[in-house]
Amino acid sequence: CENYAKTLTESTFDFSITAEDVRGGQGNGLLGRYFHDSNMQVTLVDAMFDLQYMALSLGVNLESGGLSVKEEELAVGADNTVTASETPVAFNGSMIGWYKKPSDTEWSIGPFTGSKMSISGASQNDPYCVKYFYINENAKSIKIKSQYVPSELHVVIMNDLYSGDVGSQSDATRYGRLITDIPRLQMDGNQTLNLTATSAATINLTGSALAVLS
């Protein structure tokens, strides 16, 4: 499948190669050098969070459907219960949810039996705010295994080139495009997700280019 990134903030290419000195003769002078173990490291950083990037980095599949929290206002029935609009799922092995009156600040725990939650001391038709866990078919999820193999990607990176002529009529005008085609990019499997109040949650893809044998 194909994925497009249009909000990258960084595209870094790091080229390296190991050099060995060849020395000999009087004073053990430097006669030459030979090179081996070339490497190309790529780092792509996207300003927008995308769960697909994390899935690719960790070598797992993006799945449809996942755990979500449902919060809604419901009226109490004749049996002192409220009926959830979705099917609740267990939390830490227990079929429970949380409820409070609209004017309250603290939540109380209530047990679920099927889709019904019992509310102690409630009166019929009283409104209550209720929240619980359910499986949201519109959610996206990934399962991160303790042992995984990072994905191998075919990556094409296109960077626009702009004129740098000072004082010309073409200042800041795009005049070309740098295209980097990497047939085999092995992700390194490292991923950090920083969720802070003062910045957006960026996400990155980092990996090494593998040799292509023709």
Side-chain angles (χ1 to χ4, degrees):
C1 60
E2 295 181 350
N3 291 281
Y4 297 89
K6 296 184 178 181
T7 53
L8 295 180
T9 60
E10 178 186 344
S11 301
T12 301
F13 307 95
D14 184 10
F15 300 90
S16 63
I17 191 168
T18 303
E20 302 291 348
D21 292 347
V22 179
R23 295 180 177 272
Q26 189 174 6
N28 199 32
L30 181 62
L31 304 178
R33 306 177 81 193
Y34 72 90
F35 300 86
H36 59 90
D37 294 353
S38 61
N39 186 56
M40 175 184 176
Q41 190 79 5
V42 178
T43 300
L44 307 175
V45 179
D46 200 318
M48 305 299 293
F49 174 79
D50 190 335
L51 193 61
Q52 180 66 62
Y53 292 169
M54 184 171 289
L56 292 172
S57 182
L58 303 180
V60 297
N61 294 322
L62 184 63
E63 300 177 356
S64 296
L67 197 66
S68 296
V69 176
K70 181 76 172 184
E71 186 171 341
E72 56 188 344
E73 184 173 309
L74 302 172
V76 177
D79 54 354
N80 286 348
T81 66
V82 292
T83 303
S85 62
E86 304 288 347
T87 302
V89 297
F91 175 75
N92 284 345
S94 300
M95 289 298 298
I96 61 172
W98 297 265
Y99 67 89
K100 71 179 185 68
K101 291 183 177 180
S103 59
D104 293 342
T105 57
E106 299 295 330
W107 292 84
S108 300
I109 296 176
F112 266 108
T113 301
S115 295
K116 291 182 176 292
M117 173 194 282
S118 298
I119 299 181
S120 177
S123 300
Q124 187 175 0
N125 297 324
D126 280 351
Y128 274 85
C129 297
V130 177
K131 62 181 178 180
Y132 52 91
F133 286 99
Y134 77 107
I135 298 300
N136 184 356
E137 294 183 357
N138 295 320
K140 302 295 183 182
S141 63
I142 59 174
K143 294 180 181 179
I144 303 175
K145 302 177 181 179
S146 60
Q147 182 177 358
Y148 57 86
V149 178
S151 300
E152 181 182 312
L153 310 178
H154 181 175
V155 176
V156 178
I157 305 169
M158 294 181 286
N159 300 97
D160 292 334
L161 302 177
Y162 292 87
S163 172
D165 295 337
V166 178
S168 70
Q169 296 295 322
S170 59
D171 286 351
T173 300
R174 189 177 73 174
Y175 71 89
R177 175 172 284 178
L178 172 65
I179 300 177
T180 306
D181 188 354
I182 309 173
R184 302 178 63 202
L185 183 67
Q186 177 78 61
M187 297 290 95
D188 62 13
N190 298 324
Q191 192 62 248
T192 300
L193 181 60
N194 291 319
L195 303 174
T196 66
T198 57
S199 63
T202 61
I203 199 163
N204 68 281
L205 289 176
T206 303
S208 299
L210 302 181
V212 178
L213 304 177
S214 57

